[in-house]
Amino acid sequence: MSIAPSAEDVWLARIRDSALSADDLAALERAVRELEHASVAMRLTALVGRPVGILGSILPAHVSEIVNKSAEAAIRSALAVALRSLDRKPAADSRRRHKGAAVLAGAAGGAFGLSGLAVELPFTTMIMLRSIAEIAKNEGEDLSHPRTAIACLEVFALGGRVEAGPVALRSSDASIETGYFALRGILAKSVSEAAGFLAKRGLVEEASPAMVRFVTQVGARFGFVVSQKLAAQSAPVIGALCGAAINYAFVDHFQTLARGHFTVLRLERRYGAAVVQAEYEQILRRA
């Protein structure tokens, strides 16, 4: 009679078969959970008691246009801040403080709804960017490098998940793409061009093709998540209190994505991109 292997035996076998150390393999497994099973729609649905992901995808056309323009403007503003001052960010963990500021902004957003989005969203995006930069620094990124600023903003494109699991992501042309590495592949050209442009110029020129392409791609995916947030805030009798809770969940969602993203980038620097992607896909198949 065969005896099923214990959990410890399975884990040891996986370590033996992996090119990664035990600690790094555990970190990558955590990153897979954070990047493939994180859904802001699920978090918001739990708060308001209705399927926010569906509601966010069927907002009226004029509302969707306002959301998309606001999201793109927020990304443009965040890009300028990223290049000016991210490298001066302190090392101390201030993610709770960032969430606290977002809660206050969310309370105001819950009170004013769509009319307050143009003011609340850029502020909340800046807060999230600061928190994302802190996570990047903790994972060994050089915040003075333009490529790191671009990678921080890339996190905003990772949040457009329709459902949990290895799930679909809405792209700017409304086609469906799946998974973290698939999305990075979609963004790779615009990320590389934007980072190269900034490395040479050291300043933001919004009209340059490289920057327009990058901001448009990130803004489109970020806008989809913002529409889910707005759908949650539009629930009857939401008020300021639930608006604050929604913003807390919104910021926490992107902090989670940032930790997974920069964990993967740290491991890629150590082992190479191909090795990490192969390990990532094996973990995903076992999930």
Side-chain angles (χ1 to χ4, degrees):
M1 182 178 66
S2 61
I3 301 175
S6 67
E8 183 180 358
D9 290 337
V10 171
W11 174 246
L12 290 174
R14 284 160 64 179
I15 294 173
R16 285 195 300 269
D17 295 339
S18 175
L20 278 60
S21 69
D23 287 345
D24 286 339
L25 182 60
L28 184 60
E29 290 193 336
R30 185 203 69 214
V32 171
R33 291 193 299 271
E34 292 170 335
L35 292 164
E36 301 291 346
H37 301 277
S39 169
V40 75
M42 291 183 65
R43 294 173 188 237
L44 300 181
T45 295
L47 282 173
V48 302
R50 63 181 188 171
V52 168
I54 296 173
L55 293 172
S57 65
I58 57 174
L59 289 174
H62 72 283
V63 175
S64 295
E65 184 177 353
I66 292 171
V67 169
N68 289 336
K69 287 182 178 178
S70 297
E72 192 168 318
I75 294 299
R76 282 198 300 270
S77 299
L79 176 59
V81 170
L83 294 173
R84 283 201 308 268
S85 58
L86 282 192
D87 59 322
R88 296 197 294 272
K89 181 151 180 53
D93 190 339
S94 52
R95 277 174 284 181
R96 289 184 180 178
R97 178 166 53 82
H98 292 142
K99 286 177 181 174
V103 162
L104 295 176
F112 291 102
L114 182 62
S115 62
L117 185 67
V119 176
E120 181 264 321
L121 184 60
F123 179 74
T124 300
T125 303
M126 297 295 181
I127 292 170
M128 291 193 295
L129 177 63
R130 290 293 183 183
S131 196
I132 289 168
E134 182 176 288
I135 292 167
K137 186 173 183 178
N138 290 340
E139 291 292 338
E141 298 285 343
D142 178 3
L143 295 184
S144 66
H145 198 286
R147 178 62 182 83
T148 303
I150 295 298
C152 287
L153 289 164
E154 193 178 10
V155 172
F156 292 112
L158 302 178
R161 297 189 176 281
V162 178
E163 58 184 351
V167 294
L169 300 172
R170 174 168 294 192
S171 69
S172 56
D173 63 359
S175 64
I176 298 299
E177 305 293 343
T178 58
Y180 167 72
F181 276 103
L183 180 53
R184 279 184 60 187
I186 294 167
L187 296 173
K189 183 177 181 181
S190 61
V191 165
S192 177
E193 289 177 349
F197 178 86
L198 294 176
K200 290 179 181 177
R201 302 292 183 88
L203 73 164
V204 179
E205 291 182 15
E206 293 181 4
S208 71
M211 302 313 302
V212 168
R213 187 179 300 110
F214 175 72
V215 169
T216 299
Q217 283 193 299
V218 175
R221 289 171 172 80
F222 184 48
F224 180 63
V225 187
V226 173
S227 72
Q228 295 175 324
K229 174 178 177 290
L230 184 63
Q233 289 178 197
S234 67
V237 201
I238 263 299
L241 181 60
C242 199
I246 286 169
N247 246 31
Y248 183 94
F250 190 62
V251 174
D252 184 69
H253 173 66
F254 281 99
Q255 288 177 340
T256 298
L257 291 174
R259 188 170 73 157
H261 181 50
F262 285 105
T263 294
V264 171
L265 296 184
R266 171 174 61 82
L267 296 177
E268 287 180 348
R269 290 195 300 272
R270 180 173 297 177
Y271 297 100
V275 170
V276 173
Q277 183 171 355
E279 292 282 356
Y280 187 105
E281 291 173 351
Q282 285 186 28
I283 294 169
L284 195 55
R285 282 194 295 269
R286 291 195 296 264

